[in-house]
Amino acid sequence: LPGFPRKIGVATSETGAVFHDIVTILKRRYPVDILFVPTIVQGENAASSIVRSIELLNRTEVDLIIIGRGGGSIEDLWAFNEEAVARAIYNSEKPIISAVGHETDYTIADFVADKRAPTPSAAAEIAVPERKELLAKINRLIDRLIQNQRRSIAESISYLDDITQRQTVSINRILEAKKEQFSACTGKLDAVSPLGTLSRGYSITLKLPESKLVRSIGDVAKTDKVQIIVNDGKIMCDVKDKEVFKWK
Amino acid sequence: MSFEDRLTELEKIVEKLENGHMSLDESLGLFETGIRLVKECEQNLKNAQQRIEKLVEENNEIKSEKFEMQDLT
């Protein structure tokens, strides 16, 4: 049976409460179009009328057919035991709910149909879903959808936070490592720098005016001006005298 | 570039930074790109959030209409 039929064909008697019952229940439950085919469901002409209605409804756009009649004696329901009716139901391309008679009476039509309903009202209930239930179901789905979306966004936000945090930590670590590398280098530089030597008490002598480093007694002459650089300043000197001296 | 693309890019950058074998300039360049990606991702998420809230609001309006319709029938 279709879950959400748009159009339902109803084959039942023009007189009697059956059609009215079906329509009332269909309307209460679900918005659906109803195509009514007046059908003789009792007496001599019943079988051919039922067959005709089934064939006719098969040529329409209904999604589902209900054939029904109200209760009656087993003789009254006889048409629904006839072979022609059984074959018409069997051959029907549209699904058929048979709603014949009372709860206790079974006809052959009931067994051939896609579904047997105990009463015409029950057939209408089987034919369509309940609108309110559907709405409630949809609302539950929407709520779940929303919750899902919110949760997934929240997860993304916290993941982004984490990764940003990781990024900050790493860049700081890199920076620290580079600083360390740098200070290790400056340490070495310090060690080889003449400034280190000066702080240990040595001094540097430059011959003026060209500020040439004095390495040898031969670099200066009497009356030259020299500059002596010490740890914390410069001393301007005149050369008064010089003397060759061997340390070793 | 989608949010996921940006996030994947960001992950790669962070992993590179975490491994740390690169020049200062290179790491700074990566960090800068990373921060830009973070901002864009945040904007993506903010937009998505706003859109959800808007849709929720619209849906609530539809819901209340539906219930009125039901009352009539």
Side-chain angles (χ1 to χ4, degrees):
Chain A
L1 298 181
F4 307 95
R6 287 167 205 262
K7 199 164 188 173
I8 293 179
V10 179
T12 187
S13 169
E14 225 169 342
T15 55
V18 173
F19 180 62
H20 177 260
D21 288 351
I22 290 176
V23 169
T24 308
I25 291 188
L26 286 180
K27 281 203 165 165
R28 195 187 64 209
R29 285 173 68 88
Y30 190 76
V32 68
D33 289 340
I34 298 160
L35 185 60
F36 176 48
V37 181
T39 307
I40 301 164
V41 291
Q42 186 173 347
E44 256 186 273
N45 300 320
S48 60
S49 176
I50 294 164
V51 170
R52 197 188 129 269
S53 294
I54 290 171
E55 285 170 356
L56 193 136
L57 282 168
N58 263 279
R59 292 196 295 274
T60 65
E61 58 194 3
V62 298
D63 304 308
L64 174 67
I65 298 169
I66 298 175
I67 50 177
R69 60 152 294 148
S73 68
I74 192 75
E75 290 79 25
D76 289 339
L77 307 179
W78 195 248
F80 293 92
N81 282 323
E82 295 214 12
E83 185 184 344
V85 171
R87 287 196 183 280
I89 292 173
Y90 179 79
N91 290 328
S92 171
E93 281 172 20
K94 315 277 187 185
I96 294 182
I97 301 177
S98 109
V100 180
H102 291 312
E103 319 238 350
T104 50
D105 298 325
Y106 275 75
T107 64
I108 290 172
D110 288 329
F111 294 110
V112 189
D114 295 271
K115 188 89 189 171
R116 175 197 184 250
T119 63
S121 304
E125 279 170 12
I126 292 166
V128 294
E130 166 75 64
R131 177 180 20 205
K132 277 182 191 168
E133 277 171 22
L134 277 179
L135 271 175
K137 195 173 166 186
I138 289 169
N139 284 335
R140 281 197 300 276
L141 282 175
I142 289 172
D143 286 345
R144 273 169 59 190
L145 191 73
I146 291 169
Q147 274 174 17
N148 233 300
Q149 282 298 313
R150 284 191 175 141
R151 197 175 50 231
S152 113
I153 290 254
E155 278 168 9
S156 293
I157 288 173
S158 95
Y159 182 62
L160 192 62
D161 279 353
D162 288 352
I163 207 164
T164 311
Q165 178 72 21
R166 270 168 62 192
Q167 183 174 243
T168 313
V169 167
S170 334
I171 193 75
N172 282 333
R173 222 188 44 222
I174 289 175
L175 208 61
E176 281 309 312
K178 297 289 172 188
K179 273 188 195 165
E180 232 166 79
Q181 243 178 338
F182 173 66
S183 71
C185 275
T186 53
K188 277 182 204 159
L189 196 67
D190 229 22
V192 297
S193 144
L195 301 176
T197 315
L198 293 179
S199 69
R200 290 199 300 276
Y202 295 91
S203 61
I204 297 167
T205 306
L206 302 173
K207 182 181 159 308
L208 295 176
E210 60 269 46
S211 290
K212 189 175 173 261
L213 186 64
V214 178
R215 292 172 178 274
S216 157
I217 193 74
D219 290 343
V220 292
K222 260 190 186 177
T223 74
D224 274 352
K225 290 186 185 305
V226 295
Q227 185 185 59
I228 300 171
I229 299 172
V230 293
N231 189 35
D232 51 358
K234 303 168 182 176
I235 308 163
M236 309 304 166
C237 309
D238 294 319
V239 179
K240 282 172 78 179
D241 200 359
K242 64 175 198 175
E243 181 184 344
V244 176
F245 184 83
K246 296 271 186 213
W247 293 101
K248 47 186 177 179
Chain B
M1 210 181 186
S2 73
F3 173 73
E4 285 73 17
D5 291 342
R6 290 195 174 100
L7 206 58
T8 311
E9 191 69 28
L10 183 59
E11 280 167 346
K12 280 186 200 154
I13 286 176
V14 171
E15 272 166 30
K16 273 190 201 165
L17 286 173
E18 281 173 344
N19 287 334
H21 304 296
M22 67 187 80
S23 72
L24 185 61
D25 275 353
E26 204 182 338
S27 63
L28 271 180
L30 281 177
F31 184 69
E32 216 176 305
T33 311
I35 289 293
R36 180 174 55 75
L37 288 169
V38 168
K39 279 185 183 157
E40 286 167 359
C41 283
E42 276 172 351
Q43 192 59 45
N44 284 151
L45 288 173
K46 209 174 134 194
N47 290 347
Q49 212 163 19
Q50 280 172 352
R51 229 167 105 194
I52 290 174
E53 293 317 316
K54 188 161 168 277
L55 289 170
V56 168
E57 206 175 296
E58 280 172 9
N59 177 59
N60 285 340
E61 282 165 21
I62 294 169
K63 261 194 206 169
S64 54
E65 275 172 35
K66 268 188 193 153
F67 288 139
E68 278 166 32
M69 207 178 73
Q70 244 181 306
D71 291 342
L72 291 175
T73 51

